[in-house]
Amino acid sequence: MTDKSATENPTSSRALAEWVAECARLTQPDRIEWCDGSEGERRRLIEEAVGSGALIPLNHEKRPNCYLHRSNPNDVARTEDVTFVCAPTREGAGVTNNWMVPDAAYAKLRALLAGSMAGRTMYVIPYVMGPLGSPFAKVGVEITDSIYVALSMRIMTRMGASALAMLGASGDFNRGLHCTLDLDPKKRFICHFPQDNTIWSVGSGYGGNALLSKKCFALRIASSLGRTEGWLAEHMLIVGIQNPAGETRYIAAAFPSACGKTNLAMLMPPAAFKGWKVFTVGDDIAWLRVGADGGLWAINPEAGYFGVAPGTSMKSNPNAMRSVEHDALFTNVAMTADGDVWWEGMDVPAPDGLIDWRGNRWDSASGEKAAHPNSRFTVPMTNNPVLSPRADDPQGVPISAIIFGGRRATTMPLVLESRDWAHGVFMGATMGSETTAAAAGVVGVVRRDPMAMLPFCGYNIGDYLGHWLEMRKRIAKPPRIFMVNWFRKSDAGEFLWPGYGENMRVLEWILDRIHGAAGAHETPVGLVPAPEDLDLKGLEISHDRLRAALAIDTNEWKTEVASAGEFFDKIGTSLPAPLREKHHELAHALNSTGVRKAV
């Protein structure tokens, strides 16, 4: 590519051209490259990335067109402690977000960004979130100095000329400015400015800190846009479930990162469920709007998957394993001596000669992981063998049920149904999950994570919960709301439920409940199936084990309610009164002698 074409301005948007020029004046790159999303560009960028060491080619016979990237060992997960919502007021950001005054944040990052791209290329990445041509899609532009980010954004979004065509002369686009700097954690900040539809990120080259389309735009900024415009941006998978009669129903489900979301999105029904099919619409993010029919409809704004590698295997997620057979970028996995990839939980013995995620020869006796616990794969959604035919539908898909779920060893039953929308919002608002390696910090601690959005809500969490309650007025035909927990354990520490494909049995019960074809009994916390209400054909599980997975332990729930109350107190005056009332009702019910009744 000549210098002229590298710097030439292909946009008809004056606002975009001026913003790019402004960023260039600040960062002083040696050259500017507008990404067009073409195949020729992809090949050239990969060649450059391999030449610089940013990508390592894998064995192209075993994994055609696949590459490995190793991030700095201090830069391997989302860094919530340096992620800020820079709303005009502290109240606007809320107590669960780090807050910085917008002017102060701009000044701090502007000082770090000054001259930061000297000697580097500035990539201008126009992209679309959502199906091209969808009235619900939105345009973003990320400016970055990372070739890895440029290549990843090509996978994760509709990137390039099509985005510029959709933008046209408009100035309505998300402005994302990213620079890796020298990857010094002390200079690492991910700042969101909802009032400006802007993101500035410095000091990290990893995942959600650097791929600004993902958590930054599609959740933090979009959630704020959704509040203003009357829709929801959620940390949810979208899956279509087709029964043997050929009828397909769609479910949206919210799980914290590394809690089985991708596994559920690509679920393979067990052999006993002959004729059932599961189709992936999205594996991580859903934008939900009220449709013309009065129901809730969802699009997946992304075009690829950024999945957690450890624990992914032919047993846990065969469709994900097939998806990463070609055209994939791997980050921080281990590499075999013959140029393939390996990670813990792949259900394949560790081969000799492994190179670990840091690039060193791995010693199995060291106690260290060969692949980082938060190592990732990035693949186009078109690689997925069970991609929904409606994954690119501009209108999205109609949602019949919303599921909330987390990783809990105790308390939460296998599945729980809410009594109504407000009760379902309460369930989502109080959901807790054990922390995982997807975020920096201590692993295995239970924290409240409303709707799995605690790290991703771009405004006051109390106002966010209020927006959920207000949405009920807009939705004439609301989906039913459920809670699931695949991870409950026995006193001996064993998982009570087999999980993976067997989760289809719970999904069938959920769909049957919607159509009035399955039983449940009432408990103080919601509606729970009896063991006989689930379709157990072909599953070897003891009655006692299943009852334990479905049990409601009053004492455990009293502890849960106390913990939820502390979280509500932390939210403070912005917490909607109806949720405080639901909390009081549940506490009273648990302290009373309840009689279960069939429903």
Side-chain angles (χ1 to χ4, degrees):
M1 176 176 282
T2 66
D3 287 341
K4 180 182 177 185
S5 60
T7 58
E8 139 182 302
N9 179 349
T11 182
S12 59
S13 168
R14 181 176 178 179
L16 175 54
E18 290 177 348
W19 176 68
V20 171
E22 177 187 338
C23 292
R25 285 193 297 272
L26 173 63
T27 61
Q28 294 293 303
D30 274 19
R31 64 195 295 271
I32 300 172
E33 180 164 337
W34 289 74
C35 294
D36 62 18
S38 66
E39 177 60 23
E41 176 184 76
R42 185 194 67 81
R43 288 196 297 266
R44 179 179 52 75
L45 290 180
I46 284 179
E47 186 177 337
E48 290 179 16
V50 170
S52 69
L55 293 183
I56 300 168
L58 295 173
N59 186 320
H60 283 281
E61 292 185 2
K62 291 195 169 187
R63 294 198 187 264
N65 200 29
C66 291
Y67 299 85
L68 170 64
H69 172 73
R70 294 188 181 117
S71 66
N72 189 297
N74 73 29
D75 188 30
V76 293
R78 282 183 288 105
T79 46
E80 294 173 16
D81 58 323
V82 292
T83 298
F84 294 84
V85 171
C86 305
T89 66
R90 181 180 292 276
E91 184 182 1
V95 297
T96 60
N97 283 316
N98 298 317
W99 177 72
M100 207 185 303
V101 176
D103 288 348
Y106 279 129
K108 179 187 284 287
L109 269 63
R110 192 172 282 114
L112 293 171
L113 286 163
S116 61
M117 295 189 190
R120 306 182 186 184
T121 297
M122 186 175 95
Y123 300 95
V124 182
I125 307 169
Y127 63 91
V128 174
M129 298 301 285
L132 294 173
S134 171
F136 313 128
K138 292 189 178 292
V139 175
V141 180
E142 176 167 1
I143 288 176
T144 181
D145 64 341
S146 168
I147 196 169
Y148 166 75
V149 168
L151 286 163
S152 297
M153 289 289 285
R154 187 182 191 277
I155 294 172
M156 294 302 299
T157 69
R158 286 89 171 167
M159 182 266 269
S162 57
L164 291 181
M166 179 171 165
L167 180 64
S170 171
D172 183 14
F173 62 95
N174 178 265
R175 292 154 169 80
L177 175 57
H178 167 254
C179 184
T180 54
L181 303 180
D182 56 3
L183 298 176
D184 181 351
K186 295 178 182 177
K187 302 175 188 174
R188 187 169 294 158
F189 299 95
I190 300 93
C191 292
H192 306 74
F193 304 86
Q195 69 282 359
D196 299 331
N197 197 8
T198 292
I199 307 154
W200 282 17
S201 173
V202 299
S204 174
Y206 171 82
N209 298 338
L211 308 182
L212 301 187
S213 66
K214 196 162 178 59
K215 309 300 191 186
C216 293
F217 180 21
L219 288 179
R220 295 190 189 99
I221 296 294
S223 63
S224 182
L225 291 173
R227 180 194 183 195
T228 301
E229 298 172 1
W231 52 281
L232 295 164
E234 298 298 326
H235 190 206
M236 291 180 174
L237 66 88
I238 312 166
V239 67
I241 303 170
Q242 186 182 95
N243 65 21
E247 300 167 331
T248 302
R249 298 288 183 270
Y250 296 90
I251 289 174
F255 295 81
S257 297
C259 285
K261 201 151 75 272
T262 302
N263 289 353
L264 182 58
M266 299 182 183
L267 182 144
M268 182 173 287
F273 276 65
K274 188 175 181 181
W276 287 82
K277 296 179 180 178
V278 173
F279 299 103
T280 315
V281 178
D283 80 319
D284 192 43
I285 297 172
W287 287 357
L288 301 149
R289 295 177 184 261
V290 182
D293 63 350
L296 203 57
W297 289 64
I299 64 167
N300 168 24
E302 299 190 288
Y305 308 131
F306 184 64
V308 176
T312 303
S313 67
M314 288 303 295
K315 175 185 176 183
S316 68
N317 195 338
N319 289 317
M321 292 298 286
R322 295 185 182 104
S323 296
V324 301
E325 289 175 353
H326 59 93
D327 298 284
L329 292 182
F330 295 91
T331 303
N332 295 336
V333 300
M335 186 170 71
T336 66
D338 62 351
D340 201 358
V341 293
W342 188 88
W343 50 77
E344 282 76 10
M346 188 186 267
D347 290 340
V348 175
D352 293 334
L354 267 183
I355 303 299
D356 72 13
W357 66 274
R358 293 181 177 89
N360 302 318
R361 186 170 292 277
W362 182 63
D363 179 3
S364 59
S366 68
E368 298 288 328
K369 301 288 188 184
H372 188 274
N374 193 41
S375 55
R376 298 279 178 154
F377 55 81
T378 310
V379 295
M381 68 177 184
T382 50
N383 278 23
N384 181 1
V386 291
L387 183 67
S388 169
R390 296 185 66 178
D392 254 330
D393 190 319
Q395 297 302 317
V397 295
I399 300 300
S400 297
I402 291 173
I403 298 173
F404 298 121
R407 180 181 288 268
R408 298 296 301 274
T410 64
T411 312
M412 291 303 306
L414 176 63
V415 61
L416 177 68
E417 181 184 355
S418 69
R419 297 184 181 92
D420 52 39
W421 181 267
H423 182 226
V425 173
F426 172 76
M427 282 169 39
T430 55
M431 69 179 272
S433 186
E434 296 163 12
T435 53
T436 70
V442 178
V443 171
V445 176
V446 174
R447 72 171 179 179
R448 298 292 130 194
D449 192 352
M451 284 73 169
M453 282 287 283
L454 183 73
F456 309 123
C457 185
Y459 61 103
N460 188 308
I461 196 74
D463 293 337
Y464 164 79
L465 296 173
H467 179 50
W468 263 85
L469 292 172
E470 284 295 312
M471 283 292 291
R472 175 63 182 88
K473 298 174 184 177
R474 299 171 179 263
I475 310 170
K477 299 186 235 178
R480 302 273 277 275
I481 300 178
F482 299 80
M483 183 84 78
V484 299
N485 177 27
W486 319 127
F487 302 100
R488 193 163 180 174
K489 292 182 178 180
S490 67
D491 292 339
E494 300 174 335
F495 288 115
L496 292 169
W497 179 252
Y500 306 127
E502 304 300 344
N503 294 338
M504 182 68 226
R505 302 172 189 278
V506 176
L507 299 182
E508 182 193 28
W509 179 81
I510 287 173
L511 293 176
D512 283 347
R513 285 293 296 168
I514 293 168
H515 302 124
H521 60 262
E522 189 172 311
T523 77
V525 299
L527 305 171
V528 180
E532 57 269 22
D533 293 322
L534 296 175
D535 185 345
L536 302 175
K537 60 178 179 288
L539 178 64
E540 293 185 8
I541 185 171
S542 71
H543 188 77
D544 289 345
R545 196 178 189 90
L546 185 54
R547 288 194 71 85
L550 293 166
I552 302 297
D553 185 303
T554 301
N555 289 329
E556 288 181 352
W557 271 93
K558 287 180 178 179
T559 301
E560 184 78 3
V561 168
S563 173
E566 292 172 0
F567 181 67
F568 278 1
D569 290 342
K570 178 182 176 182
I571 294 175
T573 56
S574 66
L575 181 77
L579 295 185
R580 182 70 75 178
E581 291 167 8
K582 290 289 182 187
H583 181 257
H584 289 158
E585 289 172 7
L586 177 55
H588 177 74
L590 290 169
N591 286 316
S592 304
T593 303
V595 179
R596 293 182 176 182
K597 60 182 181 180
V599 295

